[in-house]
Amino acid sequence: MAKTLQDFIQQTQQDDTKNDFFQLETERVLEVNLDGEVWSKMGAMISYTGGIRFERERVLEHGLGKMFKKAFTGEGTSLMKATGNGRLYLADQGKKITIFDLQNDKLCVNGNDLLAFESSIDWDIKLMRKMAGIMSGGLFNVALSGYGKVAITTHFEPLTLVVKPGETIYTDPHATVAWSGNLTPEFKTDVSFRTLIGRGSGESIQMAFSGEGFVIVQPFEEVYHAHTEG
């Protein structure tokens, strides 16, 4: 059924009445009510109002250790800092957005699925070296801890799997979005799966989570692109 332009504008226009620092403008657009600074994935800005300036993460901004890690992890970790006062709208290829309010919690997020986080949060890049030959763009995650808002993205609706003592949960790395920071995934190779999975790598890698915590997966297998230096 066709809509008048006025109907369409009324149904889709931004909501100026809400003022949380992070809020969902729609389930696929994050609104940041900025008064200070925020970190986001490079290229995630779709619109803004007010006096906001953007800068790419400088090489030494987070110390030598993170610079060396960035050299291994490629472009996927590039962050953008937005500073100032105004409204900032972020999105990532139409993926569904989920906001968490960390209260001295620890969360590990696949580097490709991290959309934005408050500058009050501590973060570090964790390399998953065993994955290097299998999924070149997805061998890192970002460990977040402390207090503040974090926004992650998923293809479609996320599913949270509860990890219980004595019961290991296995996931496809391409579908694994985040997990509780107290868990350390192991990697299991299953050559017998190769004809079923068809990754082209000759073997199937699975992530194995044991202990007590949770894992967030998405009903979609993310395709990572290898990063190569020129």
Side-chain angles (χ1 to χ4, degrees):
M1 180 178 163
K3 297 175 181 172
T4 67
L5 277 176
Q6 194 57 41
D7 286 343
F8 177 77
I9 291 167
Q10 272 192 323
Q11 289 174 16
T12 61
Q13 69 183 346
Q14 76 269 26
D15 183 349
D16 292 331
T17 61
K18 295 180 284 186
N19 288 300
D20 289 341
F21 180 64
F22 274 16
Q23 63 190 41
L24 292 181
E25 190 59 29
T26 75
E27 64 177 14
R28 300 175 197 282
V29 176
L30 176 70
E31 178 185 320
V32 182
N33 288 292
L34 189 60
D35 183 13
E37 64 180 42
V38 67
W39 287 95
S40 74
K41 187 175 184 176
M42 271 297 281
M45 187 276 288
I46 59 170
S47 180
Y48 72 93
T49 62
I52 300 176
R53 67 180 184 277
F54 303 92
E55 55 185 317
R56 188 173 181 145
E57 177 192 14
R58 294 189 296 276
V59 169
L60 291 176
E61 178 140 14
H62 292 107
L64 277 171
K66 286 180 182 170
M67 182 186 75
F68 290 134
K69 288 176 187 176
K70 284 173 69 65
F72 285 108
T73 55
E75 289 303 306
T77 54
S78 292
L79 294 172
M80 172 181 73
K81 182 165 68 173
T83 309
N85 191 289
R87 289 180 188 231
L88 172 62
Y89 296 95
L90 303 172
D92 186 12
Q93 299 180 5
K95 292 164 69 176
K96 186 180 176 73
I97 299 167
T98 301
I99 301 170
F100 297 117
D101 188 2
L102 298 191
Q103 296 291 319
N104 202 25
D105 302 302
K106 293 183 179 179
L107 181 70
C108 290
V109 183
N110 182 307
N112 204 45
D113 301 317
L114 180 61
L115 180 64
F117 57 94
E118 277 193 77
S119 59
S120 59
I121 287 180
D122 292 323
W123 64 275
D124 196 11
I125 295 168
K126 303 289 186 183
L127 294 177
M128 297 189 281
R129 296 181 189 280
K130 292 180 183 177
M131 303 292 287
I134 308 300
M135 39 193 296
S136 300
L139 68 153
F140 71 95
N141 60 73
V142 182
L144 305 155
S145 61
Y147 294 85
K149 300 285 198 306
V150 176
I152 68 167
T153 59
T154 57
H155 287 279
F156 311 105
E157 287 67 34
L159 171 68
T160 300
L161 306 167
V162 178
V163 182
K164 300 172 184 174
E167 182 181 311
T168 301
I169 288 182
Y170 299 93
T171 64
D172 182 333
H174 296 78
T176 306
V177 174
W179 54 93
S180 47
N182 61 305
L183 297 181
T184 302
E186 297 292 324
F187 297 95
K188 180 187 174 195
T189 305
D190 193 334
V191 178
S192 66
F193 269 21
R194 81 178 140 203
T195 54
L196 302 177
I197 307 274
R199 286 273 177 267
S201 62
E203 60 187 0
S204 166
I205 295 280
Q206 296 153 16
M207 295 176 80
F209 294 90
S210 303
E212 195 164 5
F214 62 87
V215 184
I216 301 171
V217 294
Q218 61 185 0
F220 183 94
E221 294 173 71
E222 198 119 25
V223 177
Y224 301 102
H225 301 288
H227 173 69
T228 54
E229 299 293 341

